[in-house]
């Protein structure tokens, strides 16, 4: 029974985090019909007893205790109040409390130095107290998941400051997974390339594994799905599945809520994090935890930048036999169009590769596709 703490920093990090917690609650609700507090839901959520003023935690025990009040294992950091205020007024307000939030009012002005040097020194103790409080509520803390952008001042500057702080203050927690959102080439913030370069050095030195995500690649994915939706009335079309990585319609009322900017792009990243941690939360015959992901995918300490890809991103209207569908998903996940950064994984060799497959599949089908598609470097 292990736990992970999500640290979301800056406007981008908190917007992705908001989508992540929303989807995580829906996923566990779909798999936990009896509303019991079990080991799966305890990975990201505390079960707080709201009968006490201090919200004392109720342990998992034998996994049959009822859910009282779920609280996210998270720390929310932003030097502007806008996004955090929206979260606290939104439908997810019940899973956070003020002790998990660290905020200011003026922002970092898209300047890495302001976030890293000014706000890092000013809020160091407050951030550390919030992280330590979340860590003390864990029985076996396995991983820190950091989510932030690379182009903004708070995300790049304060985000990398927090990463180094975790390395110094929690050396026993080796797994520091960073989901870093890189700006696109058409970014209108003139300082974003400089912020990215300055933050990149910190990621190389302090992170255990970095999952780079690029805004331009996310936009291309969303555009591709939008074109498929436009042709939804045609035969053999590819409609979006409600509640999927792209769709933001989580209700069956027939009407969508007002969609905010970047919601669809944020959903893709949130689903990536949800799928990556699924084997640490749910049972399975070939499950691996986050320790094994980092240990097997990082051949050398500084070579820890992982290329993420997902398939499927939407549902297929024409359902074929299971082996054919699995083969299609394997083809897609190695396709350039399904990568969350603009890269073509087929134009080179792999030092290491991990395939996290969810659902009922045969091991023989997985092994056949691995031998068919993956070209791994020959180690001496």
């Amino acid at each position: 029974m292990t736990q992970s703490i999500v640290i979301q920093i800056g406007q981008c990090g908190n917007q992705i985090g908001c989508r992540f917690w929303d989807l995580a609650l829906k996923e566990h609700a779909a798999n936990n019909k009896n509303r019991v507090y079990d080991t799966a839901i305890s990975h990201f959520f505390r079960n707080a007893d709201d009968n006490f003023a201090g919200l004392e935690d109720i342990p998992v025990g034998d996994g049959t205790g009822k859910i009282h009040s779920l609280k996210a294992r998270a720390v929310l950091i932003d030097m502007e109040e806008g996004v955090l205020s929206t979260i606290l007024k939104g439908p997810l307000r019940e899973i956070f409390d003020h002790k998990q939030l660290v905020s200011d009012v003026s922002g970092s002005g898209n300047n890495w130095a302001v976030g890293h040097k000014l706000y890092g020194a000013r809020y160091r103790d407050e951030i550390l107290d919030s992280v330590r409080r979340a860590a003390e509520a864990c029985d076996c803390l396995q991983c820190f998941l950091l989510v932030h952008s690379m182009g903004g001042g708070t995300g790049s500057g304060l985000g990398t400051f927090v990463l180094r702080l975790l390395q110094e203050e929690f050396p026993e927690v080796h797994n520091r997974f960073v989901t870093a959102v890189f700006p696109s080439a058409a970014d209108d913030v003139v300082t974003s390339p400089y912020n990215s370069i300055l933050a990149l050095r910190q990621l190389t030195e302090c992170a255990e594994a970095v999952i780079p995500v690029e805004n331009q690649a996310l936009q291309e994915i969303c555009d591709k799905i939008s074109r498929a939706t436009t042709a939804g009335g045609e035969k053999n079309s590819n409609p979006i599945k409600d509640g999927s990585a792209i769709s933001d319609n989580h209700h069956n009322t027939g009407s969508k809520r007002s969609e905010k900017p970047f919601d669809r792009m944020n959903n893709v990243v949130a689903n990536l994090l949800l799928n990556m941690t699924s084997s640490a939360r749910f049972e399975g015959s070939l499950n691996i935890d986050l320790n094994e992901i980092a240990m097997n995918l990082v051949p050398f300490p500084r070579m820890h930048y992982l290329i993420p890809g997902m398939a499927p991103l939407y549902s297929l209207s024409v359902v074929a036999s299971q082996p054919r569908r699995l083969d299609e998903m394997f083809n897609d996940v190695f396709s350039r169009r399904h990568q969350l950064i603009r890269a073509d994984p087929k134009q080179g060799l792999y030092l290491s590769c991990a395939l996290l497959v969810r659902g009922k599949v045969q091991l023989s089908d997985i092994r056949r596709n691995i031998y068919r598609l993956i070209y791994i470097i020959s180690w001496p």
Side-chain angles (χ1 to χ4, degrees):
M1 182 174 61
T2 60
Q3 294 84 35
S4 296
I5 296 175
V6 178
I7 303 176
Q8 44 201 64
I9 306 160
Q11 178 179 341
C12 174
N14 280 286
Q15 287 177 339
I16 292 174
C18 185
R19 304 303 307 138
F20 169 79
W21 293 113
D22 185 29
L23 294 176
L25 285 171
K26 289 177 171 62
E27 183 178 69
H28 283 289
N31 289 279
N32 191 343
K33 301 295 186 180
N34 297 323
R35 288 183 55 83
V36 298
Y37 185 64
D38 54 14
T39 55
I41 200 169
S42 70
H43 188 84
F44 280 124
F45 295 94
R46 300 185 292 117
N47 190 20
D49 190 347
D50 49 13
N51 292 323
F52 295 90
L55 294 178
E56 295 187 6
D57 288 358
I58 302 173
V60 175
D62 58 359
T64 59
K66 291 295 183 181
I67 294 175
H68 287 253
S69 177
L70 290 180
K71 296 294 180 181
R73 302 186 189 274
V75 178
L76 287 65
I77 304 170
D78 197 1
M79 294 299 101
E80 292 179 344
E81 294 181 319
V83 176
L84 297 187
S85 297
T86 302
I87 293 175
L88 291 181
K89 294 176 183 177
L92 297 177
R93 60 185 179 275
E94 297 296 333
I95 66 172
F96 302 113
D97 60 59
H98 68 279
K99 294 181 180 179
Q100 298 173 265
L101 276 62
V102 179
S103 67
D104 201 285
V105 293
S106 59
S108 299
N110 294 317
N111 191 318
W112 178 89
V114 173
H116 194 86
K117 300 296 183 180
L118 178 62
Y119 287 125
R122 181 180 301 176
Y123 288 98
R124 180 187 186 279
D125 293 339
E126 188 174 346
I127 293 172
L128 190 57
D129 287 343
S130 298
V131 175
R132 184 171 286 120
R133 192 179 298 111
E136 289 173 352
C138 299
D139 295 321
C140 180
L141 178 57
Q142 184 184 55
C143 178
F144 288 113
L145 289 172
L146 279 76
V147 186
H148 63 83
S149 71
M150 297 289 283
T154 301
S156 64
L158 191 55
T160 53
F161 178 87
V162 172
L163 178 61
R164 184 171 289 277
L165 186 64
L166 295 176
Q167 183 187 43
E168 295 172 353
E169 298 294 333
F170 297 90
E172 68 280 0
V173 183
H174 296 290
N175 286 336
R176 294 178 296 277
F177 281 79
V178 180
T179 301
V181 182
F182 284 78
S184 63
D187 196 299
D188 57 355
V189 179
V190 69
T191 56
S192 61
Y194 304 97
N195 294 336
S196 300
I197 292 298
L198 291 168
L200 204 57
R201 177 184 176 184
Q202 304 291 327
L203 295 185
T204 303
E205 293 178 352
C206 303
E208 182 75 15
V210 178
I211 304 169
V213 177
E214 189 180 2
N215 274 331
Q216 186 61 40
L218 294 177
Q219 186 61 57
E220 290 175 0
I221 289 174
C222 293
D223 291 344
K224 173 178 177 289
I225 303 303
S226 295
R227 289 193 296 270
T229 307
T230 304
E234 300 177 7
K235 188 177 180 180
N236 296 331
S237 62
N238 295 330
I240 298 174
K241 179 181 178 182
D242 282 349
S244 67
I246 296 298
S247 172
D248 198 36
N249 181 17
H250 299 292
H251 308 283
N252 296 322
T253 59
S255 62
K256 295 185 180 182
R257 69 170 179 83
S258 59
E259 188 174 280
K260 298 178 181 178
F262 305 110
D263 258 359
R264 293 192 170 197
M265 296 165 65
N266 293 339
N267 280 346
V268 177
V269 184
N271 272 270
L272 171 70
L273 297 176
L274 215 57
N275 292 329
M276 186 182 72
T277 59
S278 61
S279 61
R281 293 179 289 128
F282 300 106
E283 294 182 355
S285 57
L286 292 175
N287 271 8
I288 61 172
D289 59 23
L290 296 175
N291 280 325
E292 294 176 274
I293 292 178
M295 180 177 63
N296 291 314
L297 286 186
V298 181
F300 301 101
R302 288 173 174 255
M303 300 179 67
H304 54 233
Y305 291 87
L306 314 179
I307 300 177
M310 285 197 305
L313 292 171
Y314 51 94
S315 62
L316 294 172
S317 59
V318 180
V319 179
S321 60
Q322 182 67 19
R324 178 173 174 267
R325 290 187 62 205
L326 185 65
D327 290 354
E328 288 176 352
M329 286 190 288
F330 268 88
N331 286 329
D332 287 342
V333 81
F334 291 103
S335 167
R336 178 182 59 83
R337 296 177 298 174
H338 282 249
Q339 307 305 309
L340 273 63
I341 64 172
R342 288 190 298 170
D344 190 351
K346 291 185 178 180
Q347 299 299 317
L349 297 174
Y350 286 88
L351 292 177
S352 57
C353 180
L355 294 166
L356 306 181
V357 184
R358 302 189 68 177
K360 296 180 180 180
V361 295
Q362 297 295 324
L363 185 60
S364 59
D365 292 330
I366 297 175
R367 185 178 291 111
R368 171 172 52 81
N369 279 282
I370 290 174
Y371 293 150
R372 179 172 65 92
L373 292 171
I374 302 178
Y375 303 95
I376 299 181
I377 192 170
S378 178
W379 292 96

